[in-house]
Amino acid sequence: MAGIRLPPEESELSQQQQQQQQQSRAAGDLVSDDERSVAADSWSIKSDYGSTLDDDQRHADAAEALSSANFRASSDYSSDKEELDAEGVSSLLGLQSYWDSAYADELANFREHGHAGEVWFGANVMDVVASWTKSLCIDISQGHIPNHVDDNKSEPEPVGDNNKYLSHWSVLDIGTGNGLLLQELAKLGFSDLTGVDYSEGAIDLAQNLANRDGFSNIKFLVDDVLDTKLERQFQLVMDKGTLDAIGLHPDGPLKRIMYWNSVSKLVAPGGLLVITSCNNTKDELVQEVLNLNQRIDLHQEPDSSKDQEESRDIPFQYFNHVRTYPTFMFGGSEGSRVATVAFIQN
């Protein structure tokens, strides 16, 4: 005989509803924890053959998480997981110890499996930066300097073998990492190439990759841009993510001032500084250079003469920026996930 199930009492309904609400809140906490750890996980997940995620996607996820800093405070979570908040992740990525550990893993992967490691911002951005920079250097070599930089530019030379101009450009890549950007520049015709990084593991990896891939002419040195020991200047200085990492240091604002003071001495007169960033917009980078120029101007001796006025040592001026990155609208403003800006040394 089949039993008959009576409708539950009101007290039973109340208990069931409370249990469902508790389960729902617990599930919500788990989702929040997963979202909270996306930045750290996107940098640390590895397999025997390198990253478990596509390099482009890993960097897109990490850049989005770090640049938006869209994390809730730890008090908003009931989970007992101890996850880094946005400030903690930011500080971690600004420390040399983090990068020493990261490149130790990359070097081990290379030696065991031949994996080249991370391509910061992804291979597509690296290709755009390299080809766009090549065009800038050729334009300058041929006298195609925009009016806002040099109103008295010389007549442009006829277009011929453009690569002949590139051999005269000395190139420095600061925070070179695995050195793949320099390999791309070498493929495009640059030959005087130097990469520096404060992580010895990064330089070891970059040198091994260059030797394997047939670019043994590229020079790699252990050097900290904030306390550089380099005694020469370069016509082209590249920065792809280094200023971002410096800004994530706990003393980021001070470190950024040190960065600009150092870089201004590394770029030769008339040379270019090309910065690629996911944490700064084009306008923010331009404003930072304006602030640098103002600081230098304030420390110079005042002089009313016109000659002294014109000869003031203002290091950088905005030159150009990449306009081909995908853009999106947010809050009525248009922007992109990555900015690449070139400044010319006066």
Side-chain angles (χ1 to χ4, degrees):
M1 179 175 178
I4 301 175
R5 180 164 183 159
L6 298 176
E9 298 287 337
E10 287 185 6
S11 61
E12 293 177 348
L13 281 173
S14 177
Q15 291 177 355
Q16 291 175 359
Q17 290 172 348
Q18 289 177 358
Q19 291 175 350
Q20 290 174 352
Q21 290 175 353
Q22 289 175 353
Q23 291 173 352
S24 177
R25 282 198 298 268
D29 287 338
L30 290 175
V31 172
S32 296
D33 280 337
D34 288 340
E35 293 173 347
R36 188 178 178 83
S37 62
V38 64
D41 288 347
S42 65
W43 294 99
S44 61
I45 299 175
K46 299 285 184 181
S47 72
D48 290 340
Y49 298 97
S51 307
T52 59
L53 301 175
D54 177 78
D55 281 347
D56 290 345
Q57 187 60 49
R58 286 183 70 198
H59 284 99
D61 292 343
E64 180 178 5
L66 292 174
S67 61
S68 64
N70 188 24
F71 302 97
R72 287 190 286 170
S74 57
S75 60
D76 293 339
Y77 295 87
S78 60
S79 171
D80 59 356
K81 288 176 65 178
E82 294 183 0
E83 296 289 351
L84 291 170
D85 58 16
E87 182 179 354
V89 172
S90 298
S91 299
L92 181 68
L93 296 178
L95 299 177
Q96 181 176 347
S97 57
Y98 172 85
W99 296 109
D100 285 340
S101 176
Y103 282 114
D105 291 341
E106 298 286 11
L107 190 58
N109 280 334
F110 168 76
R111 288 172 173 166
E112 187 171 357
H113 306 292
H115 191 266
E118 304 294 345
V119 179
W120 191 263
F121 302 132
N124 290 338
V125 170
M126 182 174 68
D127 291 343
V128 169
V129 170
S131 59
W132 179 80
T133 301
K134 171 186 175 179
S135 298
L136 283 187
C137 294
I138 291 174
D139 285 345
I140 291 176
S141 297
Q142 294 180 337
H144 300 166
I145 301 178
N147 290 334
H148 66 274
V149 174
D150 185 358
D151 291 331
N152 299 316
K153 64 178 182 292
S154 59
E155 288 296 321
E157 298 179 15
V159 177
D161 181 10
N162 289 334
N163 286 352
K164 70 180 181 181
Y165 299 110
L166 302 179
S167 62
H168 302 297
W169 284 79
S170 55
V171 182
L172 174 67
D173 183 23
I174 55 178
T176 192
N178 55 20
L180 293 184
L181 176 59
L182 289 176
Q183 289 196 27
E184 288 303 310
L185 292 174
K187 295 174 186 177
L188 294 176
F190 293 92
S191 57
D192 184 357
L193 299 162
T194 302
V196 296
D197 202 295
Y198 65 5
S199 174
E200 188 173 347
I203 294 302
D204 197 358
L205 174 63
Q207 190 67 70
N208 276 278
L209 285 169
N211 292 340
R212 182 196 71 178
D213 298 337
F215 298 100
S216 57
N217 62 304
I218 302 176
K219 298 181 287 291
F220 292 102
L221 304 168
V222 177
D223 187 74
D224 184 352
V225 67
L226 301 184
D227 185 27
T228 182
K229 301 300 187 294
L230 298 177
E231 297 180 350
R232 64 172 291 195
Q233 292 184 314
F234 298 82
Q235 291 173 291
L236 173 61
V237 174
M238 305 291 295
D239 174 343
K240 187 163 67 70
T242 298
L243 182 60
D244 286 347
I246 290 173
L248 296 175
H249 190 277
D251 297 325
L254 175 61
K255 298 289 186 181
R256 290 176 82 102
I257 293 175
M258 295 170 63
Y259 168 92
W260 286 107
N261 290 339
S262 179
V263 168
S264 64
K265 299 172 184 176
L266 292 172
V267 182
L272 288 178
L273 169 65
V274 177
I275 298 178
T276 300
S277 169
C278 69
N279 287 353
N280 303 272
T281 66
K282 170 252 182 182
D283 290 339
E284 288 171 341
L285 290 172
V286 171
Q287 184 59 54
E288 196 161 357
V289 166
L290 292 176
N291 294 341
L292 167 70
N293 293 342
Q294 290 174 357
R295 287 197 304 271
I296 292 177
D297 192 46
L298 288 173
H299 285 84
Q300 291 178 346
E301 292 295 330
D303 193 303
S304 58
S305 69
K306 184 177 179 180
D307 290 341
Q308 289 291 334
E309 187 84 13
E310 293 178 350
S311 65
R312 292 207 171 187
D313 187 20
I314 303 300
F316 293 115
Q317 185 175 352
Y318 165 76
F319 187 71
N320 208 336
H321 71 279
V322 172
R323 294 172 170 82
T324 56
Y325 292 135
T327 60
F328 61 92
M329 295 295 296
F330 181 79
S333 299
E334 185 178 34
S336 62
R337 296 185 186 277
V338 179
T340 297
V341 187
F343 300 95
I344 194 164
Q345 174 79 289
N346 290 332

